[in-house]
Amino acid sequence: VLEQEHSKLQTETTRDVLTSAYNRRHFEKRLNEEFTACSERNFGWPLSLIFIDLDKFKEVNDSHGHQAGDAILKTVADLLQETTRDTDIVSRYGGDEFVLLLPGVDTAQVNSVANRICAIARTRKANIAQGKQVGITLSLGVATCDAENQFESAQALLAAADSALYNSKRSGRDRYTLYKAAAA
């Protein structure tokens, strides 16, 4: 019984209640741990981060209500869990933003992951009411910390992915931007 209570408490302190993705606190803890591991290996062990924003989420909330928004958030969290490895960290960052932490994933691999997430999202529909569905598109910002792209801190890596995300939004949404491309 004590083990079950401990397990339940652990889940409650690390998971987002609505989506079951990890929460921001857990993400930030893991980001710092993984960044330390990457930097201690002289950036020979890559670490990729994807910042994800749901396109036109406010419009859906405004026209269909917050329950519809909740359904979309759950659908996106499920999509992210399905398209990542068990070792990846899928977290709800806040509002309609998610972050993915992908340890050991280099630029070429994260490019493939981001492309796959965008493509699958376009085919996914969220059930927002009885028989009513709404399509989903996502904007992603991608940054990789490795021997070629070193960051001075975990927060700098997160800021790079966030910067790339805004490039995706400015470029028309429903796409991903790699940080190197955004900086050029």
Side-chain angles (χ1 to χ4, degrees), residues 10-27 52 73-81 84 88-95 97-100:
Q10 183 72 16
T11 298
E12 288 174 359
T13 60
T14 61
R15 297 283 182 170
D16 176 65
V17 176
L18 176 65
T19 64
S20 295
Y22 285 110
N23 62 27
R24 185 172 175 168
R25 180 185 318 139
H26 181 76
F27 163 76
I52 302 162
L73 290 169
K74 289 177 190 173
T75 300
V76 170
D78 290 347
L79 178 156
L80 297 175
Q81 293 284 3
T84 55
D88 298 330
I89 307 298
V90 176
S91 303
R92 183 169 177 203
Y93 195 72
E97 294 176 323
F98 289 86
V99 282
L100 299 180

Side-chain angles (χ1 to χ4, degrees), residues 80-178:
L80 297 175
Q81 293 284 3
E82 292 164 15
T83 56
T84 55
R85 308 168 301 175
D86 291 342
T87 54
D88 298 330
I89 307 298
V90 176
S91 303
R92 183 169 177 203
Y93 195 72
D96 64 329
E97 294 176 323
F98 289 86
V99 282
L100 299 180
L101 192 58
L102 303 119
V105 173
D106 63 24
T107 302
Q109 293 165 323
V110 78
N111 194 41
S112 176
V113 171
N115 190 42
R116 185 171 65 244
I117 289 169
C118 285
I120 292 171
R122 288 182 201 112
T123 67
R124 198 62 65 96
K125 302 259 189 257
N127 296 314
I128 60 169
Q130 290 179 315
K132 194 169 196 174
Q133 295 182 320
V134 66
I136 299 168
T137 61
L138 305 172
S139 293
L140 283 63
V142 180
T144 299
C145 187
D146 58 17
E148 291 177 32
N149 305 292
Q150 296 179 16
F151 292 88
E152 54 189 59
S153 67
Q155 289 65 38
L157 175 63
L158 182 63
D162 192 32
S163 171
L165 167 65
Y166 281 95
N167 188 292
S168 291
K169 292 195 118 14
R170 281 191 302 271
S171 300
R173 297 184 172 94
D174 188 23
R175 67 190 68 224
Y176 68 94
T177 302
L178 298 172

